[in-house]
């Protein structure tokens, strides 16, 4: 099943180029905090999936709705750095991965949940900034069931589904330290996840999927998920050995080579086989009190 969040956080089932509004399946009490509807659906999937599949809501063309993040309010957002060998050389001496350290040695880091956005939001770069901002093409893993100390052998049973994710990053400058990674990656709209969420049962061999990212029509990144150093199951095992994973959590699984800059006016598109494509307009944000 393909689930979308659209307009004022309504829930839809995507069928072809239309989205079927199934919001009424979620209890009315969530009308007061609609961003949590997806978390409720994930937690109650066993009982609600059949209702979603047979729901008879209003169908609307996808072109006429505003697509939001596939989970607008993930409890936690984890990210796996240095997870493609061909990308390690791009990271260079500025990184804590200097010396060839991979995701297996470095571990994971956190992005602010408030940085998560959707296709309709675009990407907003800090106003007037002279810093460099880079795109990173990633597969998003959305967790269906949580827990601590999840074994690698059982990990894939905990996955709810997959989506496309762009990890935007403000690059460090000479004299700055890599330890501020979470700040540099947590501006609002710096974690677009979309265009919709494809449940795990719809994906055959996730390792066979290919990801692509282009800017203004120029392909910059392209990779097969199987090329990751730390696979999805190992990433889940690693994260859950440190902290409890919760239903609805998002894991950004790492980026391949080809990372490059974006500026206001650019159009970025990410696509992953079996999932779909998400187009994002790059623009300048409203000025903030602190310049970046």
């Amino acid at each position: 099943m393909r689930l979308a969040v659209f307009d004022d956080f309504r829930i839809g089932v995507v069928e072809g180029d239309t989205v079927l509004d199934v919001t009424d399946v979620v209890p009315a009490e969530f009308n007061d905090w609609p961003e949590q509807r997806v978390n409720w659906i994930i937690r109650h999937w066993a009982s609600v999936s059949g209702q979603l599949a047979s729901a008879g809501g209003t169908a609307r063309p996808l072109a006429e709705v505003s697509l939001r993040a596939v989970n607008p309010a993930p409890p936690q957002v984890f990210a796996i750095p240095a997870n493609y060998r061909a990308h390690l050389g791009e990271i260079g001496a500025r990184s804590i991965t200097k010396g060839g350290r991979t995701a297996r040695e470095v571990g994971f880091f956190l992005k602010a949940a408030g940085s998560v956005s959707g296709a309709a939001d675009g990407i907003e770069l800090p106003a007037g900034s002279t810093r460099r901002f880079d795109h990173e093409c990633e597969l998003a893993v959305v967790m269906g069931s949580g827990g601590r100390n999840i074994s690698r052998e059982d990990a894939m049973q905990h996955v709810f589904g997959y989506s496309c994710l762009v990890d935007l990053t403000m690059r460090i400058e000479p004299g700055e330290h890599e330890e501020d990674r979470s700040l540099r990656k947590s501006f609002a709209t710096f974690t677009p996840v979309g265009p919709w969420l494809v449940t795990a049962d719809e994906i055959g061999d996730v390792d066979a999927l290919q990801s692509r990212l282009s800017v203004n029509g120029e392909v910059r990144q392209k990779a097969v998920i199987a090329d990751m150093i730390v696979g999805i199951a190992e990433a889940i095992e690693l994260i859950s050995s440190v902290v409890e994973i919760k239903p609805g959590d998002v894991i950004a699984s790492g980026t391949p080579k080809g990372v490059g800059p974006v500026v206001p006016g650019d159009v970025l598109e990410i696509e992953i086989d079996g999932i779909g494509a998400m187009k994002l307009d790059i623009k300048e944000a409203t000025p903030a009190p602190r310049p970046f």
Side-chain angles (χ1 to χ4, degrees):
M1 191 178 299
R2 298 182 175 219
L3 297 174
V5 180
F6 64 97
D7 293 348
D8 54 346
F9 303 105
R10 301 193 68 78
I11 305 297
V13 173
V14 176
E15 297 178 350
D17 59 359
T18 65
V19 58
L20 184 69
D21 192 332
V22 295
T23 309
D24 289 345
V25 171
V26 182
E29 64 193 75
F30 283 86
N31 292 342
D32 292 332
W33 48 90
E35 299 91 341
Q36 293 290 340
R37 286 170 175 153
V38 171
N39 286 323
W40 183 89
I41 287 173
I42 290 174
R43 288 179 177 273
H44 296 84
W45 185 248
S47 60
V48 80
S49 58
Q51 299 177 53
L52 292 171
S54 60
T58 302
R60 296 180 58 190
L62 279 167
E64 295 181 2
V65 303
S66 296
L67 291 172
R68 306 302 180 189
V70 299
N71 185 0
Q76 303 171 106
V77 180
F78 303 100
I80 307 297
N83 207 19
Y84 285 81
R85 294 194 184 279
H87 175 53
L88 294 181
E90 293 181 322
I91 297 174
R94 297 177 303 177
S95 174
I96 57 173
T97 61
K98 182 180 178 181
R101 295 179 70 197
T102 69
R104 191 161 285 132
E105 292 79 39
V106 175
F108 65 89
F109 64 93
L110 298 174
K111 293 194 71 170
S115 69
V116 171
S117 57
D121 302 307
I123 295 171
E124 296 185 346
L125 305 183
S129 178
T130 59
R131 305 293 290 263
R132 170 172 163 165
F133 296 89
D134 283 358
H135 59 72
E136 298 184 10
C137 172
E138 310 202 13
L139 172 72
V141 181
V142 180
M143 300 304 296
S145 56
R148 279 293 310 275
N149 299 320
I150 300 170
S151 70
R152 201 173 309 184
E153 292 73 23
D154 296 333
M156 300 306 285
Q157 300 175 31
H158 291 258
V159 175
F160 181 79
Y162 303 96
S163 191
C164 304
L165 182 148
V166 178
D167 178 12
L168 250 287
T169 304
M170 181 175 73
R171 288 300 172 203
I172 60 174
E173 294 184 340
E176 294 180 328
H177 299 287
E178 187 73 12
E179 286 79 1
D180 66 351
R181 183 194 298 264
S182 289
L183 181 152
R184 295 185 294 105
K185 290 174 172 280
S186 290
F187 289 88
T189 75
F190 269 33
T191 314
V193 190
W196 39 71
L197 175 57
V198 181
T199 54
D201 60 299
E202 292 285 326
I203 301 294
D205 180 8
V206 67
D207 286 340
L209 302 182
Q210 186 178 79
S211 63
R212 292 170 292 281
L213 185 145
S214 64
V215 177
N216 302 328
E218 173 196 0
V219 176
R220 292 188 178 177
Q221 294 185 273
K222 187 176 182 180
V224 177
I225 302 303
D227 291 340
M228 292 194 304
I229 297 167
V230 172
I232 296 169
E234 184 178 352
I236 293 170
E237 181 182 74
L238 168 64
I239 294 167
S240 69
S241 71
V242 178
V243 65
E244 180 182 358
I245 289 177
K246 299 178 182 180
D249 281 352
V250 172
I251 300 174
S253 57
T255 191
K257 69 176 182 178
V259 169
V262 292
V263 297
D266 284 345
V267 177
L268 181 153
E269 184 168 12
I270 181 174
E271 182 177 10
I272 300 179
D273 295 339
I275 296 175
M278 175 172 58
K279 188 173 291 188
L280 299 156
D281 294 325
I282 312 297
K283 48 198 173 184
E284 191 172 90
T286 301
R290 175 173 175 171
F292 286 93

